[in-house]
Amino acid sequence: MKHLFNRSIFLTAAVSLLLGCADLDEKPVGLLAPESLFRTSKDVETAIMGAYGWMATERLYGRQFVSALMLRSDMEDIGDRGTPAERQQVNDFNMDDNNNMVNQFWPVWYQVISGTNAAIFGAQGLNLPEATANPLIAEARFIRAFAYFHLVQVFGDIPYIDYFIKNPESVKSISKTPAATVYASIIADLEFAKQWLPDKQPSEVRSRATKGTAASYLASVHLTMGQYQKAYTEAKWVIDNKDKFGYGLEADFQTLFKAPQAPNMKEHIFDIDFLGMKTGEGGANDDIMAPMTGVRGGDAPRSGWSVIVPSMKVYSTWDNRDYRKEVSFEDSLLIGGKLVPYTEFTNTKRPHIAKYARFAGNSNSEGRDSDHNYAAMRYAEILLIAAEASVEVNGPNAEALGYINQIRARARNWAGKQTTFPEDVKAGLAKDALIDLILDDRRLELAFEYKRWYDIKRRNLGEKVFKGPNSLEPHETFSATRDYLMPLPRVELQVNPNLAPQNPGY
């Protein structure tokens, strides 16, 4: 359905809110006369498709935003140090308030939000029957919640806008909303979405939200906030209704990272849909994660830039018997027609990430503009959320072990050959030890999928994972008082002093 997204971006652009000063001066006509944009429910759906489309752009899931999440964690490092300084700052915990990665992705998240606010405004103004209007509004509210969930985790207190901007000048005086209030609004949006979204979208595509998608993100939001009973309740509801929603684990872990994926892959609860070799203006549909993580100097179509690579200890401490390691890493590659080990790679002599570069599908010679559907939420994560929340509420229990062991059982399937590793988790672990095990299973199962930084942040693990004796990627520069948040873009505070103060330490 990416063709629909690309056609729809024009409308989202027409109603976009960019908080930077240059964009404020443009005063798009759509902002000033919104009633001209929405005449039918199809127009509302077009705005929603445009909001989805902006997520599948170079500045969000195509490179900038997800690269920042990867570099912030203890699983990925800078490979080629010739890469721009902005990436090294994010990775090395020495960012300033003019970091260009932030400058790139901040306004596009607000474009997504503006598109959803436009769609909601349009639907409310058409006097449609509730049964027609509310599912559209619910889908827009899900996307808005998804965008704010990322923004609030990365920046803390942020401008929260849940209305249609008719006068761009008014944005210059908006102030920040406390993170707790933003989270409450995210939950309200997701609860409305869970109530009014369908069980399945047409053709069961996973790039549009459903009731199961909304409930899954409610579980994730509550887990992030430490509201473990609520997180468990939502995750358990998804698990109990998995057949209705068509959810389950794929038999072969490699299938999840082999483009082009089926648009209704059962493990995908929500994905960001890229279509190979179809790009548009503003970085639309431009996926650059394969070359960012691929091996510089490798033979096409597996060459890349060696920018984001695993920390060496991530590879060396991962048990070779785990099939997920085989899928996740590229530790040998054809270079000049010869299969060489990572110790002979041309640029960065480390194993590289294979999840995106190995099977990029229809793409260019470096894997750019791939056919990937990136799983923003998959069923395996819901099982892990349910396990973690259940242990927090009830202590170690058989139900939680069962969820973990479903994932471990899948990991024992080496492309159809059954093995004995990883073994099932047995009863007997103390609560803290079992929570540590679940977090480590999350680290391995979701490796390089943009989740680890959020786990470090929500569990306050920075001092341990960056400075502890078992650190996978030591960073003595990490500061818990500064680095759990990124800085607000300097230009935003210059345009609007009401956004002050800057986040601590910047």
Side-chain angles (χ1 to χ4, degrees):
M1 46 184 286
K2 179 56 64 186
H3 66 285
L4 181 56
F5 289 173
N6 286 338
R7 290 205 313 267
S8 304
I9 283 178
F10 84 93
L11 179 56
T12 307
V15 297
S16 287
L17 164 63
L18 294 180
L19 295 184
C21 57
D23 301 291
L24 287 170
D25 292 337
E26 293 180 5
K27 299 188 179 73
V29 171
L31 288 173
L32 303 179
E35 61 278 1
S36 67
L37 294 172
F38 300 101
R39 300 183 184 278
T40 68
S41 61
K42 189 66 176 178
D43 296 333
V44 176
E45 187 177 26
T46 299
I48 291 169
M49 294 303 103
Y52 280 126
W54 277 115
M55 292 191 286
T57 59
E58 183 271 338
R59 286 188 280 178
L60 295 183
Y61 271 79
R63 177 165 61 172
Q64 298 290 359
F65 180 69
V66 292
S67 292
L69 294 183
M70 293 174 85
L71 293 172
R72 209 65 168 172
S73 88
D74 63 341
M75 295 285 283
E76 300 92 353
D77 194 7
I78 294 289
D80 185 343
R81 283 276 166 174
T83 199
E86 63 205 45
R87 298 169 188 158
Q88 299 183 51
Q89 288 181 356
V90 174
N91 183 77
D92 298 345
F93 295 105
N94 59 9
M95 295 174 69
D96 60 33
D97 63 355
N98 196 35
N99 181 272
N100 196 48
M101 294 187 81
V102 173
N103 290 342
Q104 291 289 314
F105 65 71
W106 166 281
V108 183
W109 276 123
Y110 278 98
Q111 280 183 273
V112 173
I113 291 163
S114 182
T116 66
N117 289 338
I120 294 166
F121 179 92
Q124 291 172 338
L126 291 176
N127 296 317
L128 298 169
E130 185 179 74
T132 301
N134 281 1
L136 292 169
I137 294 170
E139 193 163 8
R141 289 183 69 172
F142 168 81
I143 301 169
R144 183 171 69 186
F146 180 82
Y148 276 124
F149 187 35
H150 282 300
L151 284 168
V152 73
Q153 289 181 94
V154 172
F155 296 105
D157 299 349
I158 50 173
Y160 185 84
I161 304 168
D162 61 355
Y163 52 90
F164 196 98
I165 300 293
K166 297 182 180 180
N167 176 14
E169 291 296 318
S170 67
V171 179
K172 292 183 178 179
S173 60
I174 195 170
S175 59
K176 290 188 294 189
T177 300
T181 304
V182 176
Y183 275 113
S185 298
I186 290 169
I187 290 169
D189 276 351
L190 291 174
E191 288 177 340
F192 185 88
K194 181 182 174 184
Q195 177 183 357
W196 285 99
L197 283 171
D199 292 341
K200 295 180 179 180
Q201 290 286 358
S203 302
E204 295 191 42
V205 296
R206 305 305 167 94
S207 49
R208 294 184 66 179
T210 64
K211 288 183 186 296
T213 318
S216 296
Y217 275 93
L218 277 169
S220 184
V221 171
H222 287 308
L223 189 79
T224 299
M225 299 176 72
Q227 298 172 344
Y228 296 115
Q229 180 60 62
K230 292 180 179 179
Y232 170 77
T233 298
E234 295 293 346
K236 183 67 163 57
W237 186 81
V238 174
I239 293 167
D240 288 346
N241 290 280
K242 68 182 190 310
D243 293 336
K244 179 168 65 174
F245 300 134
Y247 297 157
L249 296 177
E250 292 291 332
D252 187 337
F253 189 68
Q254 180 66 81
T255 303
L256 294 164
F257 310 101
K258 185 179 290 187
Q261 293 97 336
N264 58 355
M265 181 182 287
K266 66 181 180 179
E267 190 160 340
H268 282 194
I269 291 176
F270 183 57
D271 64 40
I272 310 299
D273 180 11
F274 285 86
L275 185 64
M277 300 300 289
K278 300 288 185 182
T279 59
E281 294 183 4
N285 206 46
D286 186 6
D287 174 32
I288 315 183
M289 292 313 296
M292 288 288 286
T293 57
V295 180
R296 188 179 291 275
D299 292 355
R302 304 275 281 280
S303 62
W305 304 339
S306 294
V307 174
I308 303 176
V309 301
S311 305
M312 191 64 210
K313 286 180 69 175
V314 173
Y315 178 82
S316 63
T317 59
W318 197 328
D319 197 300
N320 290 331
R321 295 172 293 174
D322 191 336
Y323 179 53
R324 293 171 298 184
K325 181 178 184 179
E326 173 74 15
V327 171
S328 300
F329 291 94
E330 201 77 84
D331 58 11
S332 61
L333 197 68
L334 286 173
I335 299 179
K338 175 186 174 184
L339 184 66
V340 301
Y342 69 85
T343 53
E344 298 178 25
F345 284 176
T346 305
N347 181 274
T348 303
K349 302 182 189 307
R350 290 193 207 174
H352 282 50
I353 296 167
K355 283 186 172 180
Y356 311 126
R358 181 176 287 165
F359 296 112
N362 184 26
S363 58
N364 75 7
S365 62
E366 295 176 327
R368 183 170 181 169
D369 301 331
S370 79
D371 256 332
H372 279 300
N373 292 5
Y374 289 109
M377 176 71 71
R378 51 187 178 90
Y379 185 68
E381 185 174 359
I382 286 300
L383 292 174
L384 289 166
I385 290 173
E388 183 180 347
S390 176
V391 172
E392 285 287 2
V393 173
N394 300 312
N397 61 85
E399 181 188 353
L401 296 182
Y403 296 145
I404 302 166
N405 290 335
Q406 286 185 49
I407 294 170
R408 289 188 166 210
R410 193 261 298 277
R412 293 195 290 268
N413 172 24
W414 279 65
K417 179 182 177 181
Q418 292 300 314
T419 65
T420 59
F421 186 90
E423 296 179 347
D424 281 355
V425 181
K426 304 294 195 298
L429 286 175
K431 178 180 177 179
D432 288 348
L434 185 52
I435 291 294
D436 287 345
L437 180 146
I438 293 169
L439 289 171
D440 204 51
D441 273 33
R442 280 183 62 94
R443 183 179 67 84
L444 300 178
E445 174 69 23
L446 304 173
F448 317 130
E449 295 180 49
Y450 326 135
K451 303 288 184 174
R452 176 62 175 171
W453 169 244
Y454 288 151
D455 285 349
I456 292 170
K457 174 182 167 62
R458 71 182 174 86
R459 283 289 184 174
N460 197 25
L461 297 175
E463 292 289 334
K464 176 181 178 181
V465 303
F466 295 119
K467 295 183 176 180
N470 298 317
S471 173
L472 299 174
E473 185 190 353
H475 282 293
E476 289 301 317
T477 52
F478 173 81
S479 169
T481 61
R482 177 192 65 211
D483 292 320
Y484 284 130
L485 298 177
M486 292 186 188
L488 302 178
R490 180 190 304 170
V491 64
E492 303 299 341
L493 276 76
Q494 290 173 338
V495 170
N496 180 11
N498 291 324
L499 295 179
Q502 177 61 274
N503 284 332
Y506 295 106

